[in-house]
Amino acid sequence: MPAKKTANKTRRPRPAAATHRKGVASRKNRTIPISVFGNVLKQFDTAARKLSLDRSICEFVKIPRRSTIVNLPVRMDDGTYKMFTGYRVQHSIARGPSKGGIRYHLGVTLDEVQALAAWMTWKCAVVNIPFGGAKGGIVCDPFKLSEGELERLTRRYVADMIKLFGPEDDIPAPDVGTGPRVMGWFMDTYSMKENHSVPGSVTGKPIVLGGSLGRNEATGRGVMLSVREAAKCLKLDLASTTAAVQGFGNVGSISARLLHELGVKFVSVSDVTGAIHNPAGIDIPALIKHVEKKKSVLGFPNAKRIEPEEVLFANVDILIPAALENQITGDNAARVRCRIVAEGANGPVTPEADKILERKKILVIPDILCNAGGVTVSYFEWVQNRMAFAWTEEEVNHRLEEKMVAAFNDVMKMARDHDTSMRIAAFMLAILRVVEVVQLRGIYA
Ligand code: NAD
C-alpha cells in the first residue's frame, strides 16, 4: 500500500521560481549559463601555472576520477512511479577515501556535481585531512516530496550506487536540501546491505546514530573562525562591524549566529523566499526561531522587505554568500561594497568576479578554506565512528579551531609569499599537497 502523505509535505516552504536561477553571464545580449566545473578548472589552472608543475600530473589530478549517473524509479504516495536522476562524482582518492555531500535540488547537473566534487578534493587538502573529494546530487525539489517519498528516493539512490560507497571508499554527508534525517536513511540502507551497522559509511548523522557533537554547527563555526582571523589581518574590531548574509539555512544561519555572538551587526538577510533589512541590526537568534516556525525570513518584525539581490550589494564590512554557486559574477561584482567576502557557499564568486573584487581590494576568503569546517568535523565523526568512541563537544570545537586557524595561516602565508589572492593561494597549497602524494604513490598507468 502506498504510504499516506505526511503533514511534512504541506509544512515545507515553496521557493519562489525566479530565485532558483543560478549564475548566468551576459555575452552580446545573450545569457549563457556559467559552467561551475569550468570555474574550478580556471581556478586550478591559475594556481597550477604559478607552481610550474608537470602538465601531465596536473591533467591527472584536476579531472574527476569517476562520474556515475543513475535513473531512479520512486513509488510516489499516490501509487504512481516517477523517475529521478541521481549523480555521484568521485574526483580524487589520492589522499584517502573520497568525501563529499549529497545535494537535493532542482538545479543539480553533472557540471555542478563535478565542480563540487573537485572543490572537496582541494578543500580536504587545504585543511590537511586524509580524504579525497566527491559529491552527489539528485534532481528533485525536496520541499515538494513527502517524508515517505524522500525516504524511498534516498534508499533507492544508495542501493543503486552501493558499490561506490563505504567507509574506506566514499563517504557522503549533507548538503543543500539534505540533513541528518537523510543521512540516517543512508546509513540504514548501506548497513542493511552489509548485514551490520556501519556508522562510518556517512557523516552528518543524527547524534544517536553515531553523529558527532558539533557537526551540525561545524560549517558555520568554520566560517565564523575564518572571518575572525581575516578581521585580525585587516585590523577590524568585529564588535563594530556590520554584515549581510545570503542564504539562511545550515551554513548561513549558524555562521550569522556565531558572528552575532561576537558583536557583528547583521543588517540584511535573505533566503530563497526573499530578503529583509534593518539598519539597526537584526536579532539573529530571534530570526532563527522565526524561520523555524514560518520557513521564511519574510514577516520578521522590525525589518523591511528588500529585493533579494540587494543583500549582495549591501554597504557592510562582511558579506557571507551562503546559498548557491555563481551569485557574484563578472556582471555584478562591481556593485559589491564590503571589505570581506566569506564564502559560506561553494563557488558563490566566479573567476571573473574574483578579478573585480581583487581590484576593489575586497578580501575573499575562498570556499575551500572558509566552509571547510563541515568536512573537518565530518572527518572527526568518521574517526570517532572507527574508534567507537564519542568526543565531547568542547573537544570537537577545540580541534576544529586548531585546524581552521592553521589552514587560514597556511593560506595567508602562501598568499603573501606569492603575492596572490587567498583563493589562488588556497588552490596552490592544496595542489602541492595532492601532487606530493601522487608523486610518492606513482601513477598506475
Ligand atoms: P541549506 O539547504 O541548509 O540552506 C540553503 C539556504 O539558501 C536556504 O536558506 C535557502 O532558502 C537559501 N537559498 C537558496 N537559494 C537562494 C537564493 N537564490 N537566494 C537566497 N537564498 C537562497 O544548505 P546549506 O547546507 O546551508 O548549504 C549552503 C551552501 O553551503 C551550499 O553552497 C553548500 O554546498 C555549502 N556548504 C554546506 C556545508 C554543510 O555542512 N551544510 C558545508 C560546506 C559547504
Side-chain angles (χ1 to χ4, degrees):
M1 278 283 285
K4 266 187 141 182
K5 281 188 176 31
T6 64
N8 251 3
K9 185 164 185 171
T10 45
R11 281 207 306 273
R12 291 160 199 270
R14 296 283 163 106
T19 51
H20 263 309
R21 279 172 76 236
K22 279 188 259 163
V24 289
S26 23
R27 304 252 190 293
K28 294 185 186 147
N29 300 329
R30 282 185 312 139
T31 49
I32 313 157
I34 298 171
S35 162
V36 199
F37 186 53
N39 287 347
V40 189
L41 295 181
K42 282 184 196 162
Q43 294 165 342
F44 178 97
D45 288 342
T46 309
R49 266 197 303 274
K50 280 188 170 284
L51 292 168
S52 314
L53 292 170
D54 180 305
R55 278 180 73 122
S56 56
I57 290 196
C58 286
E59 286 306 304
F60 175 68
V61 298
K62 80 177 185 180
I63 304 296
R65 178 170 184 265
R66 182 190 284 146
S67 301
T68 308
I69 307 178
V70 285
N71 280 314
L72 308 166
V74 174
R75 196 184 67 247
M76 307 302 281
D77 289 348
D78 64 6
T80 61
Y81 290 87
K82 200 172 162 192
M83 299 302 297
F84 293 85
T85 305
Y87 301 97
R88 185 73 185 170
V89 174
Q90 296 166 322
H91 179 264
S92 169
I93 55 166
R95 287 170 48 93
S98 50
K99 184 85 188 80
I102 301 179
R103 178 172 291 193
Y104 287 1
H105 193 277
L106 279 177
V108 167
T109 60
L110 180 61
D111 175 74
E112 178 185 66
V113 182
Q114 287 188 322
L116 292 164
W119 277 318
M120 287 306 298
T121 299
W122 310 122
K123 190 180 302 185
C124 292
V126 166
V127 281
N128 217 353
I129 55 177
F131 284 145
K135 205 80 180 191
I138 301 181
V139 187
C140 69
D141 182 350
F143 301 109
K144 290 191 179 149
L145 296 174
S146 72
E147 181 125 342
E149 289 164 347
L150 267 181
E151 178 176 352
R152 291 192 289 279
L153 176 60
T154 303
R155 288 188 186 277
R156 179 71 204 216
Y157 174 82
V158 184
D160 271 36
M161 302 261 194
I162 197 99
K163 287 208 167 80
L164 300 177
F165 296 126
E168 305 290 344
D169 302 284
D170 182 8
I171 310 137
D175 192 74
V176 174
T178 58
R181 191 78 195 88
V182 171
M183 298 306 117
W185 294 324
F186 185 103
M187 179 220 161
D188 183 69
T189 312
Y190 185 85
S191 299
M192 287 302 100
K193 306 268 174 198
E194 292 291 301
N195 248 333
H196 61 99
S197 272
V198 191
S201 57
V202 69
T203 60
K205 301 176 289 293
I207 304 294
V208 291
L209 297 186
S212 176
L213 292 167
R215 172 61 184 91
N216 192 46
E217 290 200 345
T219 308
R221 185 170 292 279
V223 173
M224 175 274 284
L225 292 166
S226 304
V227 171
R228 189 191 73 187
E229 296 307 300
K232 277 187 209 161
C233 293
L234 296 183
K235 303 201 178 353
L236 285 178
D237 171 19
L238 275 185
S240 45
T241 57
T242 54
V245 58
Q246 182 203 42
F248 206 66
N250 175 279
V251 181
S253 70
I254 292 170
S255 49
R257 177 169 64 70
L258 295 172
L259 284 165
H260 175 84
E261 285 170 11
L262 297 181
V264 176
K265 184 165 84 177
F266 279 81
V267 295
S268 302
V269 178
S270 70
D271 68 9
V272 75
T273 63
I276 57 169
H277 175 73
N278 179 351
I282 293 167
D283 180 346
I284 295 291
L287 180 61
I288 290 174
K289 286 204 182 103
H290 172 89
V291 171
E292 268 165 24
K293 262 198 240 141
K294 308 278 181 196
K295 308 290 174 203
S296 167
V297 296
L298 297 179
F300 185 65
N302 300 325
K304 72 168 182 178
R305 188 171 177 171
I306 55 169
E307 286 301 315
E309 66 161 20
E310 284 181 52
V311 171
L312 297 176
F313 315 128
N315 190 6
V316 288
D317 298 300
I318 303 155
L319 172 66
I320 307 175
L324 294 170
E325 308 86 60
N326 293 347
Q327 298 302 302
I328 303 175
T329 66
D331 289 342
N332 67 14
R335 296 171 63 195
V336 174
R337 295 192 281 172
C338 59
R339 302 189 59 187
I340 298 173
V341 173
E343 291 189 326
N346 287 306
V349 178
T350 66
E352 291 69 30
D354 260 339
K355 289 184 195 143
I356 297 167
L357 299 183
E358 213 177 331
R359 279 202 296 275
K360 288 171 69 109
K361 306 225 174 312
I362 294 173
L363 179 70
V364 178
I365 313 172
D367 43 13
I368 58 173
L369 167 66
C370 191
N371 69 35
V375 74
T376 302
V377 176
S378 274
Y379 165 58
F380 297 160
E381 180 173 329
W382 179 79
V383 169
Q384 292 170 78
N385 292 156
R386 288 162 74 99
M387 295 192 303
F389 182 79
W391 301 347
T392 63
E393 191 161 353
E394 289 69 34
E395 182 164 7
V396 170
N397 289 345
H398 174 70
R399 286 177 186 265
L400 171 63
E401 182 163 356
E402 275 183 350
K403 278 270 179 209
M404 289 301 300
V405 173
F408 187 96
N409 290 335
D410 287 348
V411 171
M412 193 46 105
K413 182 173 182 321
M414 183 70 93
R416 288 187 174 140
D417 288 353
H418 292 266
D419 191 21
T420 189
S421 68
M422 285 192 83
R423 164 130 30 236
I424 298 308
F427 263 84
M428 289 167 74
L429 180 70
I431 293 169
L432 282 176
R433 286 178 176 163
V434 173
V435 165
E436 183 186 6
V437 168
V438 168
Q439 280 171 331
L440 288 170
R441 287 176 65 150
I443 298 177
Y444 185 3

XYZ file of all heavy atoms in Angstrom, residues 280-330:
389
model
N 19.472 49.017 11.933
C 19.826 48.999 13.357
C 20.302 47.611 13.796
O 20.765 47.436 14.931
C 18.620 49.416 14.192
N 20.194 46.624 12.905
C 20.661 45.276 13.249
C 19.504 44.315 13.449
O 18.486 44.668 14.045
N 19.681 43.100 12.934
C 18.644 42.064 13.038
C 19.014 41.138 14.191
O 20.175 40.736 14.322
C 18.550 41.294 11.701
C 18.010 42.233 10.606
C 17.687 40.043 11.819
C 18.164 41.717 9.196
N 18.012 40.834 15.024
C 18.236 39.920 16.152
C 18.311 38.491 15.564
O 17.282 37.867 15.288
C 17.061 40.067 17.135
C 17.213 39.150 18.336
O 18.052 38.225 18.285
O 16.470 39.357 19.324
N 19.539 38.002 15.373
C 19.721 36.730 14.657
C 19.098 35.534 15.396
O 18.380 34.738 14.763
C 21.226 36.497 14.324
C 21.716 37.576 13.339
C 21.468 35.101 13.779
C 21.147 37.508 11.937
N 19.304 35.374 16.704
C 18.649 34.219 17.364
C 17.123 34.269 17.204
O 16.481 33.234 16.982
C 19.057 34.365 18.838
C 20.332 35.149 18.797
C 20.198 36.085 17.640
N 16.543 35.491 17.269
C 15.086 35.600 17.090
C 14.701 35.259 15.650
O 13.666 34.621 15.404
C 14.616 37.013 17.456
N 15.532 35.662 14.696
C 15.238 35.345 13.291
C 15.299 33.828 13.063
O 14.489 33.271 12.310
C 16.220 36.082 12.356
C 16.009 35.838 10.861
C 14.632 36.306 10.395
C 17.099 36.517 10.021
N 16.241 33.165 13.724
C 16.337 31.698 13.570
C 15.039 31.046 14.057
O 14.481 30.163 13.391
C 17.578 31.150 14.324
C 18.852 31.598 13.591
C 17.532 29.626 14.453
C 20.161 31.267 14.271
N 14.524 31.534 15.196
C 13.251 30.969 15.711
C 12.112 31.256 14.734
O 11.263 30.404 14.471
C 12.924 31.590 17.076
C 13.803 31.058 18.181
C 13.111 31.210 19.549
C 14.022 30.715 20.656
N 14.679 31.757 21.433
N 12.102 32.486 14.187
C 11.062 32.881 13.224
C 11.102 31.941 12.003
O 10.062 31.459 11.546
C 11.301 34.347 12.810
C 10.435 34.826 11.702
N 9.186 35.399 11.919
C 10.609 34.829 10.355
C 8.653 35.719 10.756
N 9.493 35.391 9.798
N 12.312 31.679 11.498
C 12.441 30.836 10.296
C 12.039 29.388 10.607
O 11.440 28.707 9.766
C 13.873 30.931 9.714
C 14.106 29.900 8.609
C 14.134 32.340 9.170
N 12.340 28.938 11.829
C 11.913 27.575 12.208
C 10.399 27.432 12.102
O 9.882 26.435 11.623
C 12.337 27.285 13.653
C 13.714 26.616 13.760
C 14.268 26.676 15.179
O 13.483 26.805 16.145
O 15.501 26.623 15.288
N 9.705 28.504 12.518
C 8.229 28.452 12.508
C 7.655 28.736 11.133
O 6.800 28.024 10.637
C 7.689 29.522 13.481
C 7.328 28.950 14.840
C 6.412 29.890 15.604
C 7.099 30.276 16.903
N 6.958 31.634 17.347
N 8.134 29.826 10.497
C 7.496 30.326 9.262
C 8.155 29.796 7.997
O 7.667 30.055 6.895
C 7.545 31.863 9.224
C 7.000 32.546 10.468
C 5.492 32.638 10.424
C 5.000 33.354 11.663
N 3.591 33.185 11.909
N 9.318 29.149 8.108
C 10.056 28.628 6.953
C 10.435 29.740 5.972
O 10.564 29.503 4.764
C 9.253 27.550 6.204
C 8.730 26.442 7.085
C 9.837 25.570 7.596
C 9.369 24.528 8.589
N 10.420 24.048 9.474
N 10.596 30.957 6.476
C 10.960 32.090 5.612
C 11.473 33.221 6.493
O 11.022 33.381 7.636
C 9.717 32.568 4.853
O 9.959 33.822 4.245
N 12.404 34.029 5.958
C 12.852 35.213 6.715
C 11.804 36.326 6.634
O 11.815 37.257 7.439
C 14.224 35.758 6.210
C 15.326 34.749 6.432
C 14.152 36.183 4.740
N 10.909 36.211 5.648
C 9.911 37.277 5.450
C 8.945 37.325 6.632
O 8.684 36.312 7.269
C 9.142 37.047 4.151
C 9.996 37.097 2.882
C 9.146 36.826 1.644
C 10.729 38.433 2.751
N 8.460 38.528 6.912
C 7.495 38.684 8.004
C 8.165 38.850 9.353
O 7.478 38.918 10.382
N 9.517 38.927 9.364
C 10.207 39.108 10.648
C 9.951 40.535 11.145
O 10.127 41.497 10.389
C 11.717 38.858 10.471
C 12.472 38.899 11.766
C 12.245 37.956 12.756
C 13.408 39.909 12.009
C 12.939 37.993 13.960
C 14.102 39.954 13.208
C 13.869 38.997 14.189
N 9.553 40.696 12.403
C 9.222 42.035 12.898
C 10.431 42.984 12.862
O 11.568 42.550 12.961
C 8.798 41.784 14.362
C 8.570 40.324 14.472
C 9.363 39.652 13.408
N 10.157 44.256 12.724
C 11.189 45.319 12.722
C 12.197 45.192 11.595
O 13.371 45.518 11.771
C 11.965 45.356 14.049
C 11.054 45.623 15.216
O 10.082 46.377 15.083
N 11.333 44.987 16.340
N 11.783 44.673 10.469
C 12.698 44.636 9.320
C 11.868 44.866 8.074
O 10.757 44.346 7.967
C 13.398 43.286 9.250
N 12.428 45.659 7.138
C 11.643 45.898 5.915
C 12.071 44.906 4.835
O 13.227 44.445 4.815
C 11.767 47.347 5.457
C 13.076 47.718 4.882
C 13.034 49.083 4.194
C 14.409 49.311 3.605
N 14.712 50.412 2.878
N 11.130 44.608 3.958
C 11.415 43.679 2.875
C 12.218 44.402 1.797
O 11.893 45.544 1.441
C 10.086 43.171 2.300
C 10.277 42.064 1.315
C 8.965 41.438 0.917
N 9.222 40.426 -0.093
C 8.328 39.569 -0.534
N 7.099 39.597 -0.064
N 8.641 38.690 -1.448
N 13.273 43.761 1.286
C 14.054 44.358 0.194
C 14.169 43.337 -0.937
O 13.822 42.165 -0.766
C 15.475 44.796 0.661
C 16.220 43.606 1.311
C 15.400 45.984 1.610
C 17.694 43.877 1.561
N 14.701 43.783 -2.084
C 14.922 42.863 -3.199
C 16.059 41.911 -2.816
O 17.079 42.370 -2.272
C 15.319 43.639 -4.463
C 14.179 44.385 -5.115
C 13.045 43.456 -5.525
O 13.321 42.382 -6.097
O 11.875 43.784 -5.236
N 15.932 40.599 -3.092
C 16.964 39.644 -2.661
C 18.380 40.031 -3.087
O 19.326 39.900 -2.326
C 16.529 38.335 -3.306
C 15.056 38.480 -3.481
C 14.781 39.933 -3.696
N 18.552 40.554 -4.334
C 19.924 40.818 -4.788
C 20.565 41.989 -4.034
O 21.792 42.115 -3.998
C 19.992 41.016 -6.303
C 19.288 42.248 -6.805
C 19.774 42.651 -8.198
O 20.348 41.812 -8.902
O 19.576 43.826 -8.556
N 19.745 42.824 -3.377
C 20.310 43.948 -2.618
C 21.235 43.467 -1.501
O 22.131 44.188 -1.073
C 19.198 44.816 -2.021
C 18.504 45.718 -3.019
C 17.440 46.569 -2.331
O 17.768 47.214 -1.326
O 16.284 46.543 -2.790
N 20.989 42.247 -1.028
C 21.818 41.707 0.058
C 23.284 41.630 -0.372
O 24.193 41.945 0.397
C 21.284 40.320 0.490
C 22.221 39.630 1.455
C 19.908 40.486 1.120
N 23.500 41.245 -1.635
C 24.880 41.113 -2.117
C 25.585 42.463 -2.220
O 26.807 42.533 -2.181
C 24.892 40.438 -3.492
C 24.371 39.007 -3.566
C 24.361 38.518 -5.006
C 25.229 38.079 -2.701
N 24.789 43.517 -2.392
C 25.396 44.841 -2.614
C 25.259 45.736 -1.382
O 25.449 46.953 -1.454
C 24.758 45.512 -3.840
C 24.630 44.574 -5.013
C 23.430 44.393 -5.680
C 25.746 43.838 -5.430
C 23.325 43.505 -6.740
C 25.651 42.948 -6.490
C 24.443 42.780 -7.143
N 24.945 45.138 -0.233
C 24.757 45.925 0.994
C 26.070 46.613 1.379
O 27.162 46.074 1.162
C 24.312 44.993 2.120
N 25.924 47.804 1.961
C 27.107 48.561 2.386
C 27.505 48.080 3.786
O 27.108 48.656 4.793
C 26.738 50.054 2.393
C 27.963 50.916 2.579
O 29.087 50.409 2.600
N 27.755 52.210 2.726
N 28.257 46.968 3.816
C 28.607 46.338 5.099
C 30.101 46.007 5.092
O 30.771 46.099 4.064
C 27.807 45.019 5.297
C 26.345 45.289 5.591
C 27.970 44.092 4.092
N 30.613 45.577 6.239
C 32.015 45.149 6.296
C 32.161 43.709 5.790
O 33.117 43.374 5.109
C 32.521 45.219 7.748
C 32.468 46.642 8.286
O 33.128 47.507 7.697
O 31.723 46.883 9.264
N 31.191 42.857 6.176
C 31.334 41.417 5.887
C 30.116 40.926 5.108
O 28.976 41.131 5.531
C 31.421 40.618 7.212
C 32.576 41.132 8.076
C 31.561 39.126 6.948
C 32.385 40.860 9.567
N 30.386 40.286 3.975
C 29.297 39.684 3.196
C 29.499 38.170 3.188
O 30.589 37.692 2.857
C 29.322 40.224 1.759
C 28.357 39.544 0.783
C 26.908 39.806 1.169
C 28.621 40.038 -0.645
N 28.439 37.433 3.560
C 28.544 35.966 3.583
C 27.550 35.375 2.586
O 26.363 35.229 2.894
C 28.240 35.403 4.994
C 29.112 36.094 6.042
C 28.452 33.889 5.026
C 28.797 35.693 7.477
N 28.004 35.047 1.367
C 27.108 34.317 0.474
C 27.052 32.869 0.964
O 28.093 32.196 1.012
C 27.778 34.432 -0.900
C 29.135 35.001 -0.677
C 29.332 35.292 0.775
N 25.883 32.386 1.353
C 25.765 31.038 1.932
C 24.593 30.304 1.306
O 23.832 29.623 1.996
C 25.618 31.121 3.447
N 24.419 30.475 -0.028
C 23.302 29.796 -0.703
C 23.848 28.872 -1.797
O 24.109 27.694 -1.539
C 22.326 30.814 -1.257
N 24.064 29.425 -3.002
C 24.453 28.570 -4.130
C 25.607 29.190 -4.903
O 26.083 30.282 -4.573
C 23.249 28.374 -5.062
C 22.072 27.586 -4.472
C 20.870 27.665 -5.395
C 22.447 26.131 -4.208
N 26.020 28.505 -5.993
C 27.141 28.993 -6.805
C 26.741 30.209 -7.641
O 25.560 30.508 -7.800
C 27.588 27.925 -7.828
C 27.880 26.562 -7.334
C 26.634 25.713 -7.259
O 25.972 25.494 -8.283
O 26.307 25.286 -6.144
N 27.769 30.829 -8.227
C 27.622 31.847 -9.267
C 26.686 32.994 -8.881
O 25.861 33.430 -9.690
C 27.102 31.202 -10.573
C 28.120 30.263 -11.185
O 29.291 30.267 -10.779
N 27.704 29.474 -12.145
N 26.801 33.498 -7.678
C 25.961 34.618 -7.245
C 26.631 35.954 -7.545
O 25.980 36.913 -7.945
C 25.667 34.504 -5.747
C 24.897 33.254 -5.374
C 23.576 33.174 -6.111
O 22.728 34.056 -6.014
N 23.396 32.106 -6.881
N 27.955 36.019 -7.322
C 28.701 37.247 -7.629
C 29.504 36.943 -8.894
O 30.393 36.084 -8.889
C 29.604 37.653 -6.446
C 28.739 37.821 -5.188
C 30.367 38.934 -6.756
C 29.513 38.116 -3.916
N 29.133 37.622 -9.969
C 29.680 37.290 -11.291
C 30.362 38.527 -11.885
O 30.332 39.612 -11.287
C 28.538 36.862 -12.238
O 27.703 38.025 -12.450
C 27.703 35.741 -11.658
N 30.929 38.331 -13.077
C 31.555 39.458 -13.771
C 30.560 40.581 -14.010
O 30.937 41.754 -14.132
